[in-house]
Amino acid sequence: MMLTRKTEGRAERANPLARAMSALSAKTVDRRTFLKGSGLTAGAAAFASQLPLGFVGEATAATAAGTGKMERKRTVCTHCSVGCAVDAYVQDGVWVRQEPVFDSPLNLGAHCAKGASVREHGMTEHSHRLKTPMKLVDGKYRKISWEQAINEIGDKLLALRKESGPDSVFWIGSSKFSNEQAYMYRKFVSMFGTNNMDHQARICHSTTVAGVANTWGYGAMTNSYNDLQNSKAIFFIGSNAAEAHPVSMLHALHAKETGAKMIVVDPRYTRTASKADQFIRMRSGGDIPMLFGMLYHIFKNGWEDQKYINDRVFGMEKVREDIMKKWTPDKVFEACGVPEAEVYKAAETMAKNRPSTVVWCMGQTQHSIGNAMVRASCILQLALGNVGRSGGGTNIYRGHDNVQGATDVGPNPDSLPGYYGLVAGSWKHWCRVWGVEYDWMKSRFVSQAMMEKPGMTLSRWIDGVTEKNELIDQDSNLRAIVYWGHAPNSQTRGLDMKVAMEKVDLMLIVDPYPSASAVMPDRKDGVYLLPAATQFETSGSCTASNRSIQWREKVVEPLFESKPDHTIMYAFAKKFGFEKEFVKNIKLVKDKQGWDEPVIEDITREFNRGLWTIGMTGQSPERLKAHMRNMDAFDAKTLRCTKSVVDKETGYDMNGDFFGLPWPCYGNAQLKHPGSPNLYDNSKHVMDGGGNFRANFGIAREGVSLLAEDGSHSMGADITTGYPEFDHVLLKKLGWWSELTEEEAKEAEGKNWKTDLSGGIQRVVMKNHGCHPFGNAKARAVVWNFPDPIPQHREPIYSNRPDLVAKYPTHEDKKAFWRLPTLYKTAQQKAITDKVHEKYPIVLTSGRLVEYEGGGEETRSNPWLAELQQDNFVEINPKDAEARGIKYWDYVWVSSPTGARIKVRALVTQRVGEGVSWIPFHFAGWWQGKDLLEKYPDGAAPIVRGESVNTATTYGYDSVTMMQETKTTLCQIERA
Amino acid sequence: MARMKFICDAERCIECNGCVTACKNEHEVPWGVNRRRVVTMNDGVPGERSISVACMHCSDAPCMAVCPVDCFYKTDEGVVLHDKDLCIGCGYCFYACPFGAPQFPQAGAFGLRGKMDKCTYCSGGPEENNSAEEFRKYGRNRLAEGKLPACAEMCSTKALLAGDAEVITKIYKTRVVTRGKGEEIWGWSMAYGGSGKLADQPGGRA
Amino acid sequence: MNARKLTTMAAAVAAAAALAGCTELSQESARSYMGKEDAKAYAGDQFKGDKQKWEQSLATRAASQNEYLRTQAAK
Ligand code: SF4
Ligand code: SF4
Ligand code: SF4
């Protein structure tokens, strides 16, 4: 009880909100004054006069009295990929209440702290939003008009384009865009003339997407959060779902309750670990030894699924040989620190409790060998025959609310929407969909070569600015950087980033909040901030981690002077002179201020016409909206609607559909494919969401067939052997061509299942013959086109174990890799020669807090969340703390091999093992001990600011995707 | 008549603070005042468990007993509420409460300066139901809208249950039976006297 | 105040709970409430005194907390 009281005392003492407010000399205003003053531009006067008094509650009371209509708008939480539905109640244009959506099969009304806070997204008196366009003048942010902003920025970008070519600008987009906006951003930057664009997925799951797609077809979560309920064992490796995907735990804990065994492998005893039956503390970066250590026991005991491997997997024998030779228990222990008994127990649990599933997250992806680690997870699941089974699969939890969607259709430097790649045929396909001439498109780029060359990546743009010109694989260095819905503090090498930010001619930040980009560089000018609206201030679709697509209704009009991203894109397109091409098939409407806004549904319809590869063709806006209005029709375990439920508004019957039509939902909307809840599931008919592994890597390799064995096929398929992907030739050979309608046949001539815009090939193959348009092949345990075809353990660039570096060295350096030279061996060897591990003996790893999201600007500006986490901290083991004279909550300096020093609190805890430290990555606003408060635009600093862990993180990139290595580096910690 | 209670299922609570935030959102509780919070035992070591705690609306409420101005009352549903017009902010209730529920806002619009504030089980206070005055002093009255507490309704894992004691013990029982863990309901014996064992509750019997 | 710091008080709360039986406080019935009278929860605009309807509404909401009901429908 005494302690309880002390807590109260502390809570009252520390009030950064008050500090932030007074420091900015912002007046405390009541809601009414605020709403008036905020110039909630659209009809501000109208609703300010209607809103009776200072409190929302009074507005509620007013409803009862019969004034002001209360409207319900259904939206989706914007803070993670679980996709929790939210009911927003809006009165007189103000979002006054938030209610749980019990009907949602994904979250059943549940929310974590972030979801429970979304009503406060900058619309109360505490708003820390970026309210108007701003320009940095003499080191101070000054308000400017939109017109001036678009003109000045546009002129500068056009001048750079002319002087140094379109590749001199790097466009970072966002995983918080809706699918429509993400898709338009890809188009927009293409029309500017470059592939230099990227978004959060690069540093989130790029290694997964590449590794998993190359193993069996699609780079996505195979099953769903809900499907965990069908698992008998759940194996988390590098995922702290309890903090990163809290509501997914509703399904995991339900499964556990009904008997599933839960295993957590992590360097930290996380909150997820506290719920596990078995917790395994692993050395950071030891994933491959751990996973292959398990496979060693699986093979030794004959627990693998031999028939499955024979029918559906290529190359397992080679992998097996490699594992049995290299990953004996002693080697496993040496490399990842897990004793044989624990590895054995985990292997046995996974083998004897099938279907068992593997869950992974950033703990596995953010390594210089991330692509290999994720493939090791895939191989484990293939050996156990768990992929393509309900309750099994690789449940890859994505991060942002629409990072899956932005990866599928958005700003990727190496691909057009739908993973079509960048070859001429892909460009031609999309030009047809966009309604523009291929030659015109080509003329926007420097050359066809540059048009087909993947751009730089988000993780490396800083080197695109600072690297020697002769070493980069494009004409000019980068001269402008656009951060459009992306935080800078989620990327590593903060010190180098600051230099790059100071070197470019122009920085453009488009975001609802100023973000750390606004304050990191010491610049006097050349920075513009443009206020973007949040997803609650527009409508559109977003793809949850399980590939279910949900539709958000617009809750309120854009706040302050903000504009939705697609409206801003259109304004720039106009300035750049390609607005006609940009919206060929898309209508425009005038918004309240007379701006042209592309109609969201038209954008959805346009991508529906082009995304055949991943089956994002069947999800028409009408179907998606019907699902959102009738969520209770879908079962929370299977996600399926199993009876006739007719949407009142459209008359659409959802019978048979899976919620949100998880892609692939092939064919056009009329085909009424139900969506695919679990990928590659051959126990179902393709028109029931069934499938098999994709034929994407040829039909034979070194004389061995890559197609599935006879008898292994999706249920009811007319072809009962393996078969290649479908095109017009195969269709004719099989005698199925005549089943196309005349119109379809006209379009399908010379095309394949991915480029036939009529959808006829997909229709005939699936509906008439039960076959899979992408063929029926084996998954690849050996990915021969990757640097390590069989996943190999390699020590991180900054390793604490020189002895292991000698045994497991990293790759050779690379030239012109995503347009940049990239160091591996040189950097690792230098660290060894410099004895970095002696000066920086503590392993540094990073991760998430439940209260904050991503770079954290939005959530740290939300008082309800900010109150819960007011300081950044480093978790340090009691032994390491004692050795350094560090006490609980002392300020400490964490220094890294880059020379950076960051000041954080010490959270002394056994959560981390000896010699390991952990720092959450959501903080920014301090720079090496200094609060940057005065650098923010007035009134727009986040409530909680703190040191960013990435100010201190080091060099290291994945050898396939340029994923940054955040999870394993080194540091030293001392008392401040 | 329904008897409103809370159950927090420690096997499910993941310390996500969803409940805490739901409460802030629904009642616009100011910074520094926490009607609900999550406490963790064995933080960071095996055996770590969290519990979400607010006013438990005790049977023989200690706060009620010690209040010098008798501003507390109990509704038909067993919810312990108080009249802020009467409260003198003396803090006795805080010392008496075994759950640390009463809060004392320093200043600002919420409630009145120095008046005690605590969890109302989302059922307002002695003002007209769902009136502006009720919201200003006590927050929203969800019960009067036929809804249950925001914190429990939004709990991320459905660890926190609210509603009629018999109904929620039944829900809880399904879990305890399937997993064989959690027989003791946290805080019940303290708040309601007698046994806190599931089997001893009306809804928990076979 | 860092939420993670609250953990130190956890043990205390738990201990307090374990020491149940503060019998000397069970005298509330002897005291009488001095404040304003409060209306019944079902008295407002929403239910207009219809207690049954109100109780039904609460029962439906309570059932929403039981995900077993949403998942067994599959069977
Ligand atoms: S952050 Fe994720 S788990 Fe939390 S409420 Fe939002 S979508 Fe749900
Ligand atoms: S019942 Fe209502 S007032 Fe009490 S803690 Fe929950 S949300 Fe807050
Ligand atoms: S919302 Fe539920 S799981 Fe989260 S802290 Fe509260 S009680 Fe625990």
Side-chain angles (χ1 to χ4, degrees), chain A residues 24 136 139-141 498 502 514 516-523 529 925 927 930-938 941:
Chain A
L24 292 167
L136 193 67
K140 268 271 162 209
Y141 282 107
K498 182 168 185 284
E502 286 162 4
S517 306
V519 296
M520 256 175 83
D522 285 316
R523 291 185 67 120
L529 314 177
W927 188 259
K930 191 171 172 292
D931 187 349
L932 303 177
L933 176 61
E934 80 281 355
K935 289 176 81 177
Y936 284 88
D938 282 347

Coordinates of all heavy atoms in Angstrom, one line a residue, chain A residues 24 136 139-141 498 502 514 516-523 529 925 927 930-938 941:
Chain A
L24 N 6.2 25.5 -24.9 CA 5.8 26.0 -26.2 C 4.9 27.2 -26.0 O 4.4 27.8 -26.9 CB 5.0 25.0 -27.0 CG 5.9 23.8 -27.4 CD1 5.0 22.7 -27.9 CD2 6.9 24.3 -28.5
L136 N 11.5 25.9 -43.9 CA 12.5 26.3 -43.0 C 13.2 27.6 -43.5 O 13.7 27.6 -44.6 CB 13.6 25.2 -42.9 CG 14.6 25.3 -41.7 CD1 13.9 25.2 -40.4 CD2 15.7 24.2 -41.9
G139 N 16.7 28.7 -40.3 CA 16.7 27.8 -39.2 C 15.4 27.7 -38.4 O 15.3 27.1 -37.3
K140 N 14.4 28.4 -38.9 CA 13.1 28.4 -38.1 C 12.0 28.0 -39.1 O 12.0 28.4 -40.2 CB 12.7 29.8 -37.6 CG 13.2 30.1 -36.2 CD 12.1 29.7 -35.2 CE 12.7 29.5 -33.8 NZ 11.9 28.6 -33.0
Y141 N 11.0 27.2 -38.6 CA 9.9 26.8 -39.5 C 8.9 27.9 -39.5 O 8.4 28.4 -38.5 CB 9.3 25.5 -39.0 CG 10.1 24.3 -39.4 CD1 10.8 23.6 -38.4 CD2 10.2 23.9 -40.7 CE1 11.6 22.5 -38.8 CE2 10.9 22.8 -41.1 CZ 11.7 22.2 -40.1 OH 12.5 21.1 -40.5
K498 N 22.4 12.0 -40.5 CA 22.3 13.5 -40.3 C 23.2 14.2 -41.3 O 22.8 15.2 -41.9 CB 22.8 13.8 -38.9 CG 22.8 15.3 -38.5 CD 23.0 15.4 -37.0 CE 22.9 16.8 -36.5 NZ 24.1 17.7 -36.8
E502 N 22.0 16.8 -44.2 CA 22.5 18.2 -44.3 C 23.1 18.4 -45.7 O 23.2 19.6 -46.1 CB 23.5 18.4 -43.2 CG 22.9 18.6 -41.9 CD 23.8 18.4 -40.7 OE1 25.0 18.2 -40.8 OE2 23.2 18.5 -39.5
P514 N 5.4 16.4 -37.7 CA 6.6 16.9 -38.3 C 7.7 15.7 -38.5 O 8.5 15.7 -39.4 CB 7.2 17.9 -37.4 CG 6.1 18.2 -36.4 CD 5.1 17.0 -36.4
A516 N 10.8 13.1 -36.9 CA 12.1 13.5 -36.5 C 12.9 14.1 -37.7 O 13.9 14.8 -37.5 CB 12.8 12.3 -35.9
S517 N 12.5 13.8 -38.9 CA 13.2 14.4 -40.1 C 13.2 15.9 -40.0 O 14.2 16.6 -40.5 CB 12.5 14.1 -41.4 OG 12.3 12.7 -41.5
A518 N 12.2 16.5 -39.4 CA 12.2 18.0 -39.3 C 13.2 18.6 -38.4 O 13.6 19.7 -38.5 CB 10.8 18.4 -38.8
V519 N 13.7 17.7 -37.4 CA 14.6 18.3 -36.5 C 16.0 17.7 -36.4 O 16.9 18.2 -35.8 CB 14.0 18.2 -35.0 CG1 12.8 19.0 -34.9 CG2 13.7 16.7 -34.6
M520 N 16.2 16.6 -37.2 CA 17.5 15.9 -37.1 C 18.6 16.8 -37.7 O 19.7 16.9 -37.1 CB 17.4 14.6 -37.8 CG 17.4 13.4 -36.9 SD 17.1 11.9 -37.8 CE 18.8 11.5 -38.3
P521 N 18.5 17.3 -38.9 CA 19.6 18.0 -39.5 C 19.8 19.4 -38.9 O 18.8 20.0 -38.5 CB 19.2 18.0 -41.0 CG 17.7 18.0 -41.0 CD 17.3 17.2 -39.8
D522 N 21.0 19.9 -38.9 CA 21.2 21.3 -38.6 C 21.3 22.0 -39.9 O 22.3 22.1 -40.5 CB 22.5 21.4 -37.8 CG 22.4 21.0 -36.4 OD1 21.3 21.3 -35.7 OD2 23.2 20.2 -35.9
R523 N 20.1 22.5 -40.3 CA 20.0 23.2 -41.6 C 19.4 24.5 -41.4 O 18.6 24.7 -40.4 CB 19.1 22.4 -42.6 CG 19.7 21.1 -43.1 CD 18.7 20.5 -44.1 NE 18.7 21.3 -45.4 CZ 19.0 20.9 -46.6 NH1 19.4 19.6 -46.7 NH2 19.0 21.7 -47.6
L529 N 7.8 21.1 -44.9 CA 6.9 20.1 -44.2 C 5.5 20.3 -44.8 O 5.0 21.5 -44.7 CB 6.9 20.4 -42.7 CG 8.2 20.6 -42.0 CD1 8.0 20.9 -40.5 CD2 9.1 19.4 -42.1
G925 N 13.8 12.8 -31.1 CA 13.6 14.2 -30.5 C 14.7 14.6 -29.6 O 14.8 15.8 -29.2
W927 N 19.1 14.4 -29.4 CA 20.2 14.0 -30.2 C 21.4 14.0 -29.3 O 21.9 15.0 -28.8 CB 20.4 15.1 -31.3 CG 21.5 14.6 -32.3 CD1 22.7 15.1 -32.3 CD2 21.3 13.6 -33.3 NE1 23.4 14.4 -33.3 CE2 22.6 13.5 -33.9 CE3 20.3 12.8 -33.7 CZ2 22.9 12.6 -34.9 CZ3 20.6 11.9 -34.7 CH2 21.8 11.8 -35.3
K930 N 20.8 15.8 -26.1 CA 20.2 17.1 -26.2 C 18.8 17.0 -26.7 O 18.5 16.4 -27.7 CB 21.0 18.0 -27.1 CG 20.6 19.4 -27.1 CD 21.7 20.3 -27.9 CE 21.2 21.7 -28.0 NZ 20.1 21.9 -28.9
D931 N 17.9 17.7 -25.9 CA 16.5 17.7 -26.4 C 16.3 18.8 -27.5 O 16.8 19.9 -27.4 CB 15.6 18.2 -25.1 CG 14.1 18.1 -25.4 OD1 13.7 17.9 -26.6 OD2 13.3 18.2 -24.5
L932 N 15.7 18.3 -28.6 CA 15.6 19.2 -29.8 C 14.3 20.0 -29.8 O 13.9 20.5 -30.9 CB 15.8 18.4 -31.0 CG 17.0 17.5 -31.2 CD1 17.0 16.7 -32.5 CD2 18.3 18.4 -31.2
L933 N 13.7 20.1 -28.7 CA 12.4 20.7 -28.6 C 12.3 22.0 -29.4 O 11.3 22.2 -30.2 CB 12.0 21.0 -27.1 CG 10.7 21.7 -26.9 CD1 9.5 20.9 -27.5 CD2 10.5 22.0 -25.4
E934 N 13.3 22.9 -29.3 CA 13.1 24.2 -29.9 C 13.2 24.2 -31.4 O 12.9 25.1 -32.1 CB 14.1 25.2 -29.3 CG 15.5 25.2 -29.8 CD 16.3 24.1 -29.2 OE1 15.8 23.4 -28.2 OE2 17.5 23.8 -29.6
K935 N 13.6 23.0 -31.9 CA 13.8 22.9 -33.4 C 12.4 22.5 -34.1 O 12.3 22.7 -35.3 CB 14.8 21.9 -33.8 CG 16.3 22.4 -33.5 CD 17.3 21.3 -33.8 CE 17.7 21.3 -35.3 NZ 18.8 20.3 -35.5
Y936 N 11.5 22.0 -33.3 CA 10.2 21.7 -33.9 C 9.4 22.9 -34.3 O 9.5 24.0 -33.7 CB 9.4 20.8 -32.9 CG 9.8 19.4 -32.8 CD1 10.8 19.1 -31.8 CD2 9.3 18.4 -33.6 CE1 11.2 17.7 -31.7 CE2 9.7 17.1 -33.4 CZ 10.6 16.8 -32.5 OH 11.0 15.5 -32.3
P937 N 8.5 22.8 -35.3 CA 7.6 23.9 -35.5 C 6.7 24.1 -34.2 O 6.5 23.1 -33.5 CB 6.7 23.4 -36.6 CG 7.4 22.2 -37.2 CD 8.3 21.6 -36.2
D938 N 6.4 25.3 -34.0 CA 5.6 25.6 -32.7 C 4.4 24.7 -32.6 O 3.6 24.6 -33.5 CB 5.2 27.1 -32.7 CG 6.3 28.0 -32.4 OD1 7.4 27.5 -31.9 OD2 6.2 29.2 -32.6
A941 N 5.7 19.7 -31.5 CA 6.6 18.7 -30.9 C 5.9 17.6 -30.3 O 4.8 17.8 -29.6 CB 7.6 19.4 -29.9

